[in-house]
Structures are given as C-alpha cells and as structure tokens.
Amino acid sequence: MTASPTRRTTLGALALLATTALTGCYMSSKRNIRTLDKTFSYLKDPALRTKEKGDARLVVEGAELSGERFEGMDWHNILFKNCDFVGAYEINPKTATNVRYEDCRFSGILSYGVTTNVHFLRCAWVGNSVMFAEKGSKSTVFEECNFVGTTANRNHQGAVGSDGEAEFVRCRSKWFAWTGNERLSITDCTCEDVTILTDSIGNSGEDFLYAATRIEGSKLRGTFKLVAANLQSLTIRDTVIDMLDLTSATIKEELLMERVRGGSVEAIVKGAKRLVVRDSQFTPPASGGKFIFSLASNDAQEVLIENTSILGDNILVDIGGGPHTESLVFRKSKFPRLDLQYAHAKHLLLENFEANSVRLNDARIGKLELSSAVFALTLDLSNTQVHEFKKTGGTDLKKLGGLKLDGSNINLPQ
C-alpha cells in the first residue's frame, strides 16, 4: 500500500494506534458492503460495472465498508452517502476520479488512491485514523468535515490529507494533523492544536515536494504547528491565531501575513526570500501566559512590516533578515521593544513608527532612514556603521536620554 505509515516519521505510531482502535471498538448499524450484491461487485470490478451500466453514476448508500479488500482498482463517478469506512490497509483503490463522499465516517488506516476531483462533504474522522490521497492527486476537497483526535500528543494523533493537493473548507479539527504536500488550502476552518505535515527528503528523496500553503478566514486555536515544515510559500489572511509555531521551518519563497489578529508567532525560518506582515495586531493572552513574536529568515532579501501593532508591556519583538537583505522596512507600526541588533541591510526604514525601545546596535546598514519615528525610552545605535543617515521628524534624538551612539559612525544633524 503506497499510503504506508513509513512515509512519515510520525505515522508508525499513528498506524499502530489506529489498528489497535479497530479491534472490537468500532460498531456500525449499517449493512456490510458484501450484502449489497451488485453494488459490491461493481466496486470490486469496475470493468463489470462499465460493461453492465456504462458510465452511469454508482450510488452507495448506508453501507459499511469493512472486512473486505478494495485494492488496486479504479473508482470513478461514485457517490458514497452515509457510509462507514473501517479497516487497516484494506481500502486502497489505485485511483479515484469524480468520487463524492457525503456524511461518511472513516476510521483506521485507509487510502483514497490518486485522486482527481474527489469531494468529502460533512464527513468525519475519529481517533487516530490515518488516510491520504497519493502523490499526484488533484482537487481533493474536504468541506464541512470534522476531525476529532483523542490526545494533544502530536505523535499519537490522526492524520488526513493528500500527498498532492488538499483543500479544507469550513472544517473543524482538534488534535489532528493535516497535509497537502504539493498544495494546501485552509479556508474558514476552526482548528485547535492542529499540526501540518509536509513532505521531506526522508519521505520522498531529493525531489520531495514543498507545499504552497494558504490559510484564510480561519481560527487557529491552541498551537498551530508547522514545525520543521517544508513549504513553497505560506500566506495567512483574515485569520485569528493563538500560537503559530514555525520553528525550523523552510519556506522557499514568501511568508505573508495580512489582517491577522493573534497572539504568539515563532517564525525563525530558513529560505524565505520575503517576509511581509500587513494590517495586523498581536497581543499577549489575557491569562498572562507566554507571549513571543519572532520573525526572521537568514535568506530574506526583503522584510516589510506595515500598519501592524504588537501590544503589551515590555514585550521584545525580534524581526530580522540576513546578510544579503536589500530592504528592512517598518511603516505605520507600533511595538513595545524591537530587536534589530546585528542587522544587515542596504536600506533600513522606520517610517511613522513608534516604539518604547529599539535595539539597533552592531548593525551594518547602507542607508538608515528615520521618518517620523518616535522612541519613547531608548534607541541603541552603539557600534552601528552606516553609509548614509537621514532623519526627518519624530523624536529629537539629541533630547532622548536613552540614545546610545558609542562606537557608531552616525553623526546627528546640527
């Protein structure tokens, strides 16, 4: 079975738990598929179905698919309604084309095959179920589905998605892992402690896939984990987050966040050429729990923070690029404390910007530009070297008691 649990480091434990959960714990009042005569024959033998029924849609309703192997066949133009799929490796069609599942339930270790235009509507996955569409799958959509795990431990959670493309729309998920190795779209979903799995060299070799990932209009409660994920790009829009964890993630192109309301962001990533946060606000939790905001890529060529505020007392915001950063721009934004020490950039602009304190010591900047920038307490420029310094409006640095210029070549205008 190509959807083997050995494809991912987490799936071995998932498969074991899923298999254990199936032994005597799953009960269904539906008729077993073997009792449905012709329907059963048509699922097992698509050639027979085509011979007798042509291309007419096959409707399978109120059945339990368990205890029988469906492996290696091509499923096409099928509607499963109110069916239960239960098993450990038995359900594994080669391909699935124009297949629709409505109000179905899934439990176990199953495969959708290589999918084209496969739609799950109001379906449910429970416990530690593991089920994937295979590599090369297109247009795999989960709409208004529920994914309910049994533990917050990510090594013992279920996992659903696609080794190709996957789209989740108006779904609810708790203690579950989702994947879309080639493309992953999450729209109007509510997630609680959800993990995103991606491809890796260990899974697929040197030519493994990087997921183009888009999250819009969603609520990401608890911790939303993309730890060590491999992404082509990551876009998050119009979304509420509690904790976004991108620790050690690799993003080949852009990380973009727009109109985000949330708490912590831990995003010291690799590879990203562009980091953008616009029209967003981040605040510590009302409970007084841990709050962190870190955003940086050593490969970033452009960093843009615009119309964004991070509120709270004595919160240190860590944002940065790398040794080859072209522009580092903060515009119409407000932070408590900003850490830019050791920054390297051809152009660093703070425009209509407010902060209690900015740490910009030991930086190497081509052009440092302060335009209507306000510093309430401190600005540390010690040991910072610039080729050009320009300041208009904002705080009078000569009157700023917390200004540090020791070792810097910056000369304040008279």
Side-chain angles (χ1 to χ4, degrees):
M1 176 178 178
T2 53
S4 165
T6 59
R7 295 178 310 167
R8 295 175 177 80
T9 57
T10 58
L11 293 192
L14 294 176
L16 176 60
L17 287 168
T19 305
T20 303
L22 290 172
T23 57
C25 298
Y26 187 92
M27 298 183 65
S28 174
S29 60
K30 298 179 174 63
R31 295 178 59 186
N32 190 276
I33 191 64
R34 288 189 297 261
T35 68
L36 298 183
D37 300 329
K38 279 294 185 181
T39 298
F40 173 66
S41 297
Y42 291 159
L43 288 175
K44 293 282 286 186
D45 188 351
L48 173 64
R49 172 191 163 198
T50 300
K51 179 181 178 180
E52 295 187 356
K53 293 294 185 180
D55 238 359
R57 170 178 273 192
L58 175 64
V59 178
V60 185
E61 187 169 4
E64 177 192 320
L65 283 79
S66 67
E68 184 69 37
R69 300 196 73 86
F70 294 92
E71 187 172 18
M73 68 279 293
D74 298 313
W75 279 357
H76 70 280
N77 203 20
I78 302 174
L79 171 60
F80 293 98
K81 297 183 68 173
N82 193 28
C83 292
D84 292 351
F85 293 79
V86 187
Y89 306 111
E90 291 95 342
I91 299 173
N92 181 27
K94 180 181 178 183
T95 65
T97 304
N98 298 327
V99 177
R100 185 177 177 89
Y101 301 83
E102 294 183 0
D103 303 298
C104 294
R105 294 194 302 166
F106 300 87
S107 180
I109 312 164
L110 314 170
S111 170
Y112 313 127
V114 178
T115 64
T116 303
N117 192 27
V118 171
H119 193 168
F120 299 85
L121 178 64
R122 298 184 304 272
C123 295
W125 287 256
V126 297
N128 309 312
S129 298
V130 179
M131 195 164 183
F132 291 97
E134 303 303 329
K135 190 173 182 178
S137 293
K138 305 291 184 183
S139 303
T140 309
V141 179
F142 303 85
E143 182 179 1
E144 297 180 14
C145 294
N146 288 314
F147 306 84
V148 183
T150 55
T151 174
N153 186 332
R154 62 177 294 191
N155 293 319
H156 300 278
Q157 293 176 357
V160 169
S162 171
D163 284 347
E165 298 177 354
E167 182 176 359
F168 295 84
V169 181
R170 294 186 297 280
C171 293
R172 299 179 66 86
S173 183
K174 181 177 181 179
W175 297 339
F176 232 85
W178 286 351
T179 189
N181 281 351
E182 184 175 354
R183 184 177 65 84
L184 175 63
S185 175
I186 299 171
T187 305
D188 297 330
C189 292
T190 299
C191 301
E192 183 176 349
D193 293 323
V194 165
T195 298
I196 300 301
L197 302 176
T198 60
D199 204 5
S200 69
I201 190 170
N203 295 332
S204 303
E206 294 287 347
D207 296 326
F208 69 90
L209 297 172
Y210 285 80
T213 303
R214 177 176 57 86
I215 304 170
E216 294 189 352
S218 296
K219 297 178 181 178
L220 310 181
R221 301 303 187 188
T223 300
F224 193 81
K225 291 185 178 180
L226 297 101
V227 174
N230 293 306
L231 307 174
Q232 187 70 25
S233 59
L234 175 61
T235 298
I236 305 176
R237 290 192 176 100
D238 302 302
T239 290
V240 177
I241 65 173
D242 286 346
M243 170 62 182
L244 177 66
D245 191 350
L246 282 158
T247 302
S248 300
T250 297
I251 302 175
K252 295 183 74 173
E253 296 176 359
E254 179 183 68
L255 168 56
L256 169 64
M257 303 174 70
E258 289 186 321
R259 299 179 297 279
V260 170
R261 296 292 180 269
S264 292
V265 172
E266 193 162 355
I268 306 297
V269 302
K270 296 175 285 186
K273 303 297 188 296
R274 192 166 186 256
L275 304 173
V276 179
V277 182
R278 291 195 188 100
D279 306 322
S280 298
Q281 185 177 88
F282 303 88
T283 57
S287 63
K290 178 183 177 182
F291 178 81
I292 186 172
F293 193 99
S294 299
L295 176 67
S297 168
N298 202 47
D299 301 293
Q301 297 175 4
E302 178 185 357
V303 179
L304 172 62
I305 311 297
E306 188 170 45
N307 195 29
T308 292
S309 60
I310 299 176
L311 306 178
D313 297 329
N314 202 32
I315 301 297
L316 181 61
V317 179
D318 182 8
I319 296 177
H324 306 294
T325 301
E326 296 285 330
S327 66
L328 191 55
V329 175
F330 298 80
R331 182 181 289 122
K332 296 180 181 178
S333 297
K334 182 177 181 179
F335 299 154
R337 296 190 295 146
L338 176 62
D339 185 1
L340 294 172
Q341 67 174 335
Y342 304 109
H344 284 70
K346 289 186 177 180
H347 184 206
L348 170 56
L349 170 64
L350 302 178
E351 180 180 5
N352 295 315
F353 173 81
E354 295 182 43
N356 290 334
S357 301
V358 173
R359 192 161 61 188
L360 188 52
N361 56 289
D362 298 282
R364 299 295 180 264
I365 309 297
K367 181 179 181 180
L368 174 58
E369 189 172 359
L370 307 180
S371 177
S372 299
V374 175
F375 310 97
L377 298 176
T378 62
L379 173 61
D380 186 353
L381 293 166
S382 55
N383 299 313
T384 288
Q385 304 294 307
V386 304
H387 289 288
E388 181 182 353
F389 177 73
K390 182 179 180 181
K391 181 184 180 303
T392 55
T395 297
D396 185 346
L397 298 185
K398 293 181 179 179
K399 298 180 180 180
L400 181 63
L403 178 66
K404 298 180 181 179
L405 285 172
D406 294 346
S408 173
N409 69 343
I410 296 174
N411 294 312
L412 300 181
Q414 299 299 319

